Amino acid sequence: MKLIGFLTVLIVLGSAHQVSAQETKIKWHGHAAFSITTPKGKVLLIDPWLNNPLNPEAKDGKDPLTAVPKVDYILLTHGHRDHVGDAVEIAKKTGAALICNPELAGNLAKLADFPEKQAQTDAIMGIGGEIQIADGEVTIAMTPAVHSSSVFNPKATATNAERAYGGNPAGFVLIIKNGPTVYHSGDTAYFKDMETVGEQYKVDAALLNIGGHFGMEPLMAAKAAQSVGARVAIPQHYATFPGISVNADGFAAELKRLKIPFYEMKPGETISYRGKLMVKK
Ligand SMILES: [Zn+2]
């Protein structure tokens, strides 16, 4: 009987563990950097500039890379330095496969020492396409972005450009099995065809650049939230460096007017989803 009791405890513990394993976790590292952990435990890192000034895990001489010991995929919306960030170092440390356009992947390998094999998988893709990763648990769609893209060339000389070609800038939609559908806008300007992205993918969480100057101003970012039909709009790409918005107040006020749910993450914060439902914030 005692053994049966023990087994019951094990089964209960096991199912409790399964419940938490069914969660999708979204962590904001500051600026445009997010990591997403799927219900099956795969880790996707988007625009991993972890050494940005907002990241609490990069403060006081701390190494923010210790906070991401396991990464399966690195997604880059475009080649600018505040998005490529620490991708090369993280790729070397974790063996993660790169997901971005072929020109950016090629130049990162050629000029920035990104591990070639990890930049040459079938996860290299183009705008308009979809790929399945993580044994089919996640579908990634690459969406248009109105911005620019170049790769910083550390080997630049007087006659060799400092900025190499980075392909077209993009956004991503991540469709997670038993989890939310997440849209990361990259640094795009507002464009009305975001409505098509929303119609096609039914976005649960929209991670939108709101800082202006280089991308959407807060009011246009609110319009983007409306166009993609976001169930919740989460701001990113603000308050990081001079020239972009210092807070999300204008964005929040406009979303309130448009009756769109808003959630402001703190740098370093994680939110969880059970299925398509946000369970903790
Ligand atoms: Zn940027």
Side-chain angles (χ1 to χ4, degrees):
M1 287 305 281
K2 265 185 186 168
L3 180 64
I4 290 169
F6 178 65
L7 284 175
T8 310
V9 169
L10 273 186
I11 289 162
V12 170
L13 281 176
S15 57
H17 177 72
Q18 254 183 356
V19 169
S20 76
Q22 284 305 312
E23 288 184 356
T24 301
K25 295 191 182 298
I26 303 175
K27 179 172 180 178
W28 188 39
H29 301 272
H31 203 58
F34 289 85
S35 53
I36 297 181
T37 307
T38 69
K40 288 189 173 166
K42 290 282 192 270
V43 181
L44 285 64
L45 194 53
I46 309 170
D47 287 355
W49 182 32
L50 301 186
N51 274 298
N52 74 74
L54 293 184
N55 188 357
E57 286 161 345
K59 283 190 175 138
D60 307 319
K62 279 186 275 186
D63 177 6
L65 271 57
T66 57
V68 287
K70 174 190 188 297
V71 181
D72 298 290
Y73 300 93
I74 296 170
L75 291 78
L76 298 179
T77 59
H78 62 295
H80 293 162
R81 273 198 282 186
D82 59 317
H83 296 261
V84 170
D86 306 293
V88 173
E89 215 177 324
I90 295 165
K92 285 179 179 168
K93 197 180 134 193
T94 61
L98 183 61
I99 301 178
C100 68
N101 75 58
E103 294 86 359
L104 177 55
N107 272 337
L108 277 177
K110 197 171 165 190
L111 305 172
D113 203 24
F114 196 101
E116 235 169 75
K117 275 191 183 150
Q118 293 157 245
Q120 289 175 342
T121 72
D122 52 10
I124 298 305
M125 66 187 300
I127 292 169
E130 294 179 6
I131 58 166
Q132 291 211 325
I133 57 163
D135 304 320
E137 194 189 11
V138 184
T139 300
I140 307 279
M142 188 181 260
T143 60
V146 181
H147 191 58
S148 66
S149 179
S150 55
V151 190
F152 177 70
N153 179 7
K155 296 167 189 165
T157 61
T159 53
N160 197 354
E162 187 186 84
R163 287 169 183 263
Y165 187 50
N168 281 327
F172 288 111
V173 178
L174 286 65
I175 303 138
I176 302 163
K177 250 182 209 163
N178 302 315
T181 293
V182 181
Y183 171 56
H184 189 297
S185 66
D187 269 3
T188 191
Y190 175 73
F191 57 97
K192 204 152 194 306
D193 282 352
M194 283 179 179
E195 282 171 10
T196 307
V197 173
E199 281 163 19
Q200 184 67 19
Y201 297 112
K202 310 267 180 300
V203 173
D204 295 301
L207 316 174
L208 298 170
N209 76 80
I210 69 153
H213 197 139
F214 301 101
M216 290 187 280
E217 298 292 336
L219 298 192
M220 291 301 255
K223 206 179 266 290
Q226 188 177 42
S227 285
V228 296
R231 287 175 75 183
V232 65
I234 295 171
Q236 46 111 346
H237 209 279
Y238 67 102
T240 324
F241 44 68
I244 62 178
S245 295
V246 292
N247 62 46
D249 293 354
F251 180 60
E254 184 65 2
L255 286 175
K256 196 173 176 190
R257 199 181 69 78
L258 297 171
K259 298 188 171 52
I260 298 168
F262 161 79
Y263 185 69
E264 182 174 6
M265 296 180 75
K266 290 180 197 68
E269 181 181 348
T270 301
I271 55 173
S272 301
Y273 273 82
R274 195 166 298 154
K276 291 184 173 299
L277 206 70
M278 197 192 285
V279 286
K280 261 176 271 166
K281 51 179 188 172

